[in-house]
Amino acid sequence: MSGISGMEQLINVVNKLQDAFTRLGVQLTVDLPQIAVVGGQSAGKSSVLENFVGRDFLPRGSGIVTRRPLILQLVYSQYEYAEFLHKPGKKYMDFNEVRREIEADTDRVTGKNKGISNLPINLRVSSPNVLNLTLIDLPGMTKIAIGDQPPDIEVQIRNMILEYIKRDSCLILAVTPANTDLANSDALQIAKEVDPKGFRTIGVLTKLDLMDQGTDAKDVLENKLVPLRRGYVGVINRSQKDLDGGKDIKLQIKAERDYFLQHPSYKHMADKMGTTYLQKTLNAQLTNHIHNTLPSLRDKLQKQLYALEKNLGDMKHLKLDDKTMKTKALLQMIQNFSLEFEKALEGSRSSEINTSELCGGAKINSLFHERFPFDIVKMEFDENELRKEIGIAICNIHGIRIGLFTPDLAFDAIVKKQIARLKDPCLKCTDLVVAELLKIIHFCTERMARYPVLRDTIERIISSQLSKSEVQCKEQISLYIDFQLSYMNTNHEDFIGFANAENQAEKNISGTSNAPGNQVIRKGYMCIHNQSMIRGAKDYWFVLTSDSLAWFKDDTEKEIQYILPLNGIKVKDLESKFISRRHTFGLFYQNGRNIYKDNKQLELSCSSLDEEVTWKASFLRAGVYPERQKEANNNEDIEVKEEVDPQLKRQVEVIRNLVDSYMGIINKSTKDLIPKVITHMILNTTKKFISEELLLHVYSTENQEGLMEESPEEVRKREENMQMYQACKEALSIIGECSVSFSSQMTRNETYHPPKPPIAAKKIYRLSTPIQTVTRPAPPPPSGIKKFDSMANLVPEFYVFSVP
């Protein structure tokens, strides 16, 4: 039956996979088919495992004896010996030494204070007395911490067990003493949490010989009391007296067989009881389980290998002592950095696009065309304040004389003052652009994180060059302001001129001026926070015009809520509400009267700072200025004098029109020219430096040898990824060899088909609802039917039940 031999080799495949991952020091991220042994303390788990091996090799004692997972690989072999994966090449013939090594390695990791660890011990036992099996012996569940154990020892053990048995590829061997209430079984309870239908759970009842007289576990073993899809198997382990007397395990297995044959409650199922049957059953079920899960395991490993290859890139071929490789990596790093920087500035058409916030070139564009114009609008003059300044200038120019003509010196004085104020927003725009460039540079160097020295060197070189460009740019901006201050071009084609200014002044004074219509300045959502006006904060659709602010229920503008005239309204900043991340500002009347019903101010908020800045700029364009402190009394005197002196009022109006016209020209020119200066002297210069000169500056550094030194963290990550990469490659190679070997065996021999069950089996398992084919152990065939047993009693009888 070579086909069955091929099936048997599947367990060896999993053993090789387990060894491959453990030997390379890699934490398993794929689920290998295996059997986890769970149960409470003193449930008999260790005795069951020792019965499988036929040797005493597990530590014994009171309390928690198993403090680390023990991965026990049983391999059928002609010779008997044991091997530890952490002791490669050493074979243990004396199983007392095996016990001492388990205890020593456990203490080495957990200490001697009864603590636990999830780091497994890998033990392989080769013997002619075993069937191929892979089991994981887990710590027994406990309730109370003893000695120096942590108070949460119960939670730690529970979490460790769940970490193994929650995987769909893990079969659960739930060991429960028969002399306890099955409903309170710790093993069955924790197994039911992850396998509620009992598809992966195999029940084992120990200590059947210790049950009270007159009681038995017949209903449990017949799978009637707490049904499990894979059923229950009863075993008899050695008692403490037998252990102390050194009773041989072979004699115990024979006594176990006699016990079941003679017991009136169990003799009818004696062939399905005992350690030998349990071993055969586990071998068959694990073999079939591996056969079913191996394709999905191969797919997971292939996906993981692909992800690791993508993550490692050329690093998987890295030779640390190869200088040419480091030079190539350095050139590639700088070249990629240059491309990334250019993409960040000019825009990227790749799929990796930030959809949460503006960044890179888009952010700089926003600074040029939204933030910078807003800063210029914000510094623009308040109408009343400007008129006061013009009146003071005219009075100071006239002195003791009565001025009959409008003095042009007042125009020069006011205009120069306004032009000088433009310097601050221009320099501020430069600072914001440089700050954003530094962010871009830092972002683009993130791929160099594995080389911290190289990353710091590149950032330092570019920052130094950027500082030089910034200084030169600010010098040019200051020079531009000086140019504008040095000569007033009153012959500009867009300048209104004195004649037109006087005509417009006459119209304004007489009230016959053609005022512009009510133009829409901005639309959008804002949130109102006035508690007395509405119940809690609520979003409304706002429409800001040159005359009023109206808000609607939504952007359809069908249900209007209110229209607020803008005459006499000021704007001021407000602190954000507690816990709120919205940016808040308020509208109010300067004379203190209510702005809406009983509210002194209208509290509005935006979701972002940029949105708030844009709304404030729109309010400034509508004539709603920030609140100011009260001016000195002499300004009030000028206002009074202007009211009683029609000549001064006319002159102020003329100069006001001239200043407004000329500053409109200057502001327009500034908004257009400053972004060009910054782009030419900072953005383009930095981009050219990175693409043409950065490599030369890097090579001219003193510490060239240390540039390509990896950080300890990156070395650790790379080594872990390389180990996982090698482990996945080896695992796929093992699975591939197994597939080829198994296919060739199945081709040479007839395809493996488990024998059909006896007719009686169908009657026992007939269900009303059709289900899929299930592979599971079957009872022995009735008399008269020949048993399928061609492997000298080493292969269990198992059947495929086709339930109609």
Side-chain angles (χ1 to χ4, degrees), residues 132-143:
N132 289 342
L133 270 180
T134 301
L135 304 110
I136 302 177
D137 185 21
L138 295 169
M141 287 175 282
T142 183
K143 301 292 184 182

Side-chain angles (χ1 to χ4, degrees), residues 501-516:
E502 288 179 346
N503 292 334
Q504 187 173 343
E506 292 294 339
K507 292 179 181 179
N508 291 340
I509 293 173
S510 62
T512 59
S513 60
N514 295 325

